[in-house]
Amino acid sequence: MIAKIRTGQYFKGAFKYNLDKVNEGKAAAFYSVLFPQENPTFEEMHDEFMKMSMMCPNVSKPVFHTSLNFSPDECLDDSTLKAVVDEYMQRLGYGETPYAVYKHTDTNHQHVHIISVNITSVDGKYKKINDSYLHRRSEAISRVIEKEYGLVVATDVKKKRKELDFIPELKCYGEVNTYEHLKDVAEYIVNNCKFTNLYQLNILLNKYNIACFKNKTKLGEPHYKFTFQNPATRKNVGIGGTTRALGLSFSDEVLDKVMLKNREESKSKFSIWEDMKRMLLDKYLFISQADFDKYLKRKGMFKIGEGSYWDQSDKRVVTMEQFKLPKTFIADASLKKEYMANIVKSATEYRKKAGIFHESTMFSHPEYISGFRTFFAMQNTHLSKAQNSLLIESFLRYKTATLPDIIAKEHEKDIKLATKMLDYIERLHISEKTANLLLERFHINIQGEKILIGNSMDRILHEISKNELIPYVFDGENHAAKVQALNTTEFALIKAAINDQPYSYHKEEIEWERVLPFISEEYMEKYHIGEQPAVDTEIQNEFMPDYPEQGSIRFVSSDNEKEYLYKKKKKRRNNDESSGKKRKF
């Protein structure tokens, strides 16, 4: 039998706890003694206690509230239970004062709550009941009653647990003796585990559905209190107990010293955590939470809460803050995408700088890969040198693994490019020889039934076959010399025409007679090629003489001159059609 005694100032609190249990169906009024009324109500009992306390104003804590808890292996009948309660109260010194008894059924062990007053009446005079060594006397009385009634001896149970290296089990409120379990868990954790603050202590206690919080008395004195928690809501349930009420082997001051000592000892672990941090940063660019937990598990650290781990070798709680890792190190897939997006952007910039047309060319040739490594190393990032190296190696492994997919996509892209070029060239009505020369300027080479696509930098030419394209027909005059004579600006204008994009140029850079055969009439009309804004007539007459019938064409400045170019091109097309020269591609 275990007795848990509490004293206080206000009777309403003690009665409210028991009456709430009655209303919830978890308790029932058992009996009462020495009240003026035979079956007193709550109000009548409260008034009697208040009257007695007013007769002894020097008693600062008149409330006596205790619970008698029996082993789960025993169940006393009402008469035996009443006899045990009466003898306990008589031996403790409360046999001549009123008290009320409530039977509780909210746990798996039988227990009762007793409410009384720390005042008694002798010959009509009221005086304080002797409460010296109250808890010690209560334990001695419990041992005597256990023997008299053949009850389970609580000290034997505790001794057996100690001999078996007792480890508390996970229990919910109501499944065990509340105070006994709170004490067992608190003693076990404080004596066997290392924690540096109240937060870490609660990480361990929460595993047993128990919490500890620091509170203050009405006089402002701080103290620790342990209580059960509802595992679903994490709200406190039942009556909690202070270190003194639970009869713990340590006081509040000792608990503070334990946490301080553990904090000092944790400093010696800093070098170990620093080594783990350095190894992680060198090995991983970033790591998922799951992989991080697996890594710590291999090191003997097991996750016991959000951001907290149990060091099995040292019996210590370790939190994420103690590793001092960068905030972005442990991240989800979204951060991975961010890193990949940045290195893909760098790879694209390098290809443009090196003039590499195909992505597969870059990742197939050692020289380009080496060049990209050097290029990326010069980029400004917040990553360490080791992490940058890790990122690029991961990226290159990924690209190497997906190279077949890249080549397949590029093949489709090559077909679209060749189709677009040939479709545009067919609309120009130029000869096959001229078309081939122009295509070569775009690094598209036709060799029999094969079409090779690359650029001036690519050492690997990508091949497609003619049968992958629809048949094209070329005809018209030979402008091969004009293709070879195209300058950079003229060629850029043709590229803009093929891609149906506007293009700015200066008249001095364009030799229209060379360019016109390779620009469609639709493009010229859509983007007003050859036109210029209205200018002063005198200036125009001075600098823009009439165009000759033959010779180089530099600029078109009026609708009549534009019509001249269209007519010339139309005449050439008509001549091509009348010649009957057509070739199949």
Side-chain angles (χ1 to χ4, degrees):
M1 184 180 79
I2 297 175
K4 299 295 181 181
I5 300 174
R6 291 172 292 277
T7 58
Q9 293 178 284
Y10 306 102
F11 291 98
K12 281 189 177 180
F15 276 112
K16 183 179 185 304
Y17 175 77
N18 286 276
L19 292 175
D20 285 347
K21 293 288 185 180
V22 172
N23 293 333
E24 293 171 5
K26 297 177 180 179
F30 189 20
Y31 70 98
S32 59
V33 297
L34 299 178
F35 285 97
Q37 303 83 3
E38 185 175 351
N39 293 305
T41 63
F42 153 68
E43 289 80 7
E44 290 170 338
M45 289 188 289
H46 181 267
D47 291 344
E48 181 64 19
F49 286 148
M50 288 299 295
K51 183 181 74 172
M52 294 178 69
S53 62
M54 285 189 290
M55 299 302 293
C56 286
N58 61 318
V59 180
S60 60
K61 293 185 177 181
V63 180
F64 175 87
H65 184 192
T66 186
S67 64
L68 298 183
N69 302 269
F70 303 92
S71 171
D73 298 327
E74 57 193 2
C75 183
L76 284 64
D77 57 58
D78 287 352
S79 60
T80 305
L81 183 59
K82 183 177 183 301
V84 168
V85 172
D86 289 342
E87 184 166 351
Y88 173 82
M89 293 296 284
Q90 186 68 39
R91 287 177 176 273
L92 196 60
Y94 290 81
E96 304 303 323
T97 194
Y99 57 86
V101 184
Y102 292 85
K103 285 200 306 183
H104 286 237
T105 58
D106 57 340
T107 63
N108 72 337
H109 67 279
Q110 189 177 33
H111 69 287
V112 296
H113 281 249
I114 308 167
I115 303 175
S116 187
V117 60
N118 290 320
I119 299 168
T120 189
S121 175
V122 179
D123 298 330
K125 293 182 180 180
Y126 293 92
K127 65 175 184 179
K128 180 183 178 183
I129 296 175
N130 180 21
D131 60 354
S132 299
Y133 306 105
L134 188 63
H135 294 278
R136 189 178 300 176
R137 289 192 291 116
S138 173
E139 285 191 16
I141 292 168
S142 297
R143 303 294 83 76
V144 172
I145 293 176
E146 286 169 350
K147 292 180 180 180
E148 286 184 0
Y149 290 87
L151 304 178
V152 175
V153 181
T155 53
D156 291 346
V157 175
K158 293 179 182 178
K159 183 179 179 181
K160 185 177 180 181
R161 286 179 174 179
K162 190 173 182 180
E163 291 174 351
L164 295 174
D165 194 18
F166 172 72
I167 298 176
E169 296 180 3
L170 173 63
K171 298 291 184 181
C172 291
Y173 175 74
E175 295 179 350
V176 289
N177 182 301
T178 301
Y179 267 36
E180 183 179 343
H181 193 67
L182 290 175
K183 180 179 180 180
D184 287 343
V185 172
E187 291 278 9
Y188 174 79
I189 289 177
V190 172
N191 293 326
N192 295 278
C193 307
K194 295 178 182 178
F195 48 91
T196 60
N197 50 44
L198 187 60
Y199 170 74
Q200 290 189 358
L201 172 60
N202 273 308
I203 289 174
L204 297 171
L205 289 172
N206 288 166
K207 293 300 175 182
Y208 294 93
N209 295 329
I210 294 173
C212 177
F213 56 92
K214 204 167 187 178
N215 209 343
K216 288 185 177 181
T217 64
K218 292 185 180 295
L219 299 177
E221 299 175 355
H223 67 276
Y224 290 102
K225 193 170 185 179
F226 296 83
T227 181
F228 265 103
Q229 279 194 336
N230 184 320
T233 62
R234 284 299 168 196
K235 291 184 178 180
N236 298 339
V237 292
I239 291 291
T242 61
T243 55
R244 181 178 178 183
L246 294 177
L248 297 175
S249 61
F250 55 87
S251 63
D252 294 343
E253 293 76 13
V254 170
L255 184 56
D256 285 330
K257 290 179 181 178
V258 167
M259 290 189 282
L260 178 61
K261 179 184 176 183
N262 291 338
R263 280 197 292 273
E264 293 298 321
E265 288 182 356
S266 67
K267 293 179 181 178
S268 64
K269 305 285 289 184
F270 177 77
S271 60
I272 298 175
W273 297 330
E274 186 67 19
D275 290 343
M276 292 174 66
K277 167 188 171 182
R278 190 178 300 108
M279 193 283 297
L280 282 169
L281 293 178
D282 289 344
K283 186 175 181 181
Y284 300 100
L285 175 65
F286 56 88
I287 191 172
S288 69
Q289 186 66 57
D291 288 339
F292 181 71
D293 294 343
K294 289 179 182 177
Y295 169 79
L296 291 185
K297 189 174 182 180
R298 292 195 297 271
K299 298 293 183 179
M301 296 184 183
F302 302 90
K303 190 168 186 177
I304 57 175
E306 191 65 33
S308 56
Y309 302 85
W310 174 247
D311 188 343
Q312 185 66 34
S313 63
D314 201 34
K315 305 293 184 184
R316 181 186 300 276
V317 176
V318 182
T319 57
M320 283 294 300
E321 291 75 14
Q322 290 171 295
F323 289 103
K324 299 186 182 301
L325 291 165
K327 290 182 178 179
T328 57
F329 182 69
I330 298 180
D332 57 14
S334 62
L335 186 62
K336 182 177 180 181
K337 290 179 181 178
E338 177 187 341
Y339 280 121
M340 292 300 289
N342 288 337
I343 196 169
V344 167
K345 183 179 179 182
S346 296
T348 303
E349 290 175 358
Y350 172 72
R351 282 176 52 210
K352 288 181 179 179
K353 182 179 178 181
I356 302 171
F357 181 71
H358 287 93
E359 186 181 20
S360 60
T361 300
M362 173 178 167
F363 296 112
S364 301
H365 202 284
E367 180 182 343
Y368 295 146
I369 292 176
S370 176
F372 176 57
R373 281 198 177 99
T374 304
F375 176 80
F376 186 72
M378 295 187 295
Q379 305 301 305
N380 292 323
T381 69
H382 68 279
L383 302 175
S384 67
K385 184 177 180 181
Q387 287 179 310
N388 266 331
S389 176
L390 180 64
L391 175 60
I392 193 169
E393 293 305 323
S394 300
F395 177 69
L396 291 174
R397 281 197 301 271
Y398 168 75
K399 285 297 183 181
T400 302
T402 58
L403 196 57
D405 295 332
I406 294 173
I407 293 174
K409 289 180 181 180
E410 288 179 343
H411 190 75
E412 294 179 6
K413 186 177 178 181
D414 290 340
I415 292 175
K416 289 180 180 178
L417 172 63
T419 301
K420 179 175 69 173
M421 290 293 301
L422 295 172
D423 178 64
Y424 181 83
I425 289 173
E426 184 185 33
R427 288 186 279 120
L428 297 177
H429 303 287
I430 57 178
S431 67
E432 183 176 357
K433 180 180 179 182
T434 304
N436 288 341
L437 287 171
L438 182 60
L439 287 170
E440 287 177 8
R441 289 293 300 268
F442 286 91
H443 309 289
I444 299 176
N445 297 278
I446 301 174
Q447 298 179 0
E449 294 299 319
K450 296 187 301 183
I451 300 176
L452 302 178
I453 300 178
N455 70 3
S456 58
M457 294 293 295
D458 276 2
R459 298 185 181 184
I460 301 175
L461 296 177
H462 294 253
E463 179 183 320
I464 60 176
S465 60
K466 283 185 180 180
N467 60 18
E468 294 181 275
L469 306 172
I470 61 174
Y472 287 86
V473 178
F474 297 113
D475 57 7
E477 60 181 300
N478 192 333
H479 297 282
K482 295 178 181 179
V483 172
Q484 295 171 338
L486 290 171
N487 62 35
T488 303
T489 303
E490 294 165 348
F491 185 66
L493 177 58
I494 294 171
K495 288 176 68 175
I498 293 171
N499 292 297
D500 195 23
Q501 297 174 344
Y503 184 74
S504 301
Y505 55 88
H506 298 285
K507 63 180 182 179
E508 295 84 2
E509 299 173 343
I510 300 293
E511 191 71 37
W512 285 98
E513 189 171 297
R514 290 199 300 260
V515 175
L516 283 177
F518 310 109
I519 300 179
S520 66
E521 296 177 4
E522 296 85 355
Y523 179 77
M524 294 180 64
E525 184 174 359
K526 181 176 180 180
Y527 293 103
H528 309 291
I529 299 301
E531 295 183 2
Q532 72 170 8
V535 297
D536 184 84
T537 306
E538 294 182 0
I539 296 176
Q540 183 182 18
N541 292 336
E542 181 180 353
F543 293 99
M544 297 296 295
D546 292 338
Y547 285 103
E549 289 297 326
Q550 296 179 350
S552 62
I553 300 175
R554 293 186 177 277
F555 204 81
V556 182
S557 59
S558 68
D559 291 340
N560 291 335
E561 290 160 339
K562 181 179 177 182
E563 185 178 357
Y564 159 78
L565 291 174
Y566 286 164
K567 286 182 177 179
K568 182 176 180 181
K569 192 160 188 173
K570 187 175 181 180
K571 180 180 178 182
R572 184 183 69 241
R573 186 170 63 248
N574 293 336
N575 291 337
D576 292 341
E577 292 174 354
S578 61
S579 65
K581 294 181 180 180
K582 293 185 179 181
R583 295 180 177 86
K584 284 191 175 182
F585 173 70

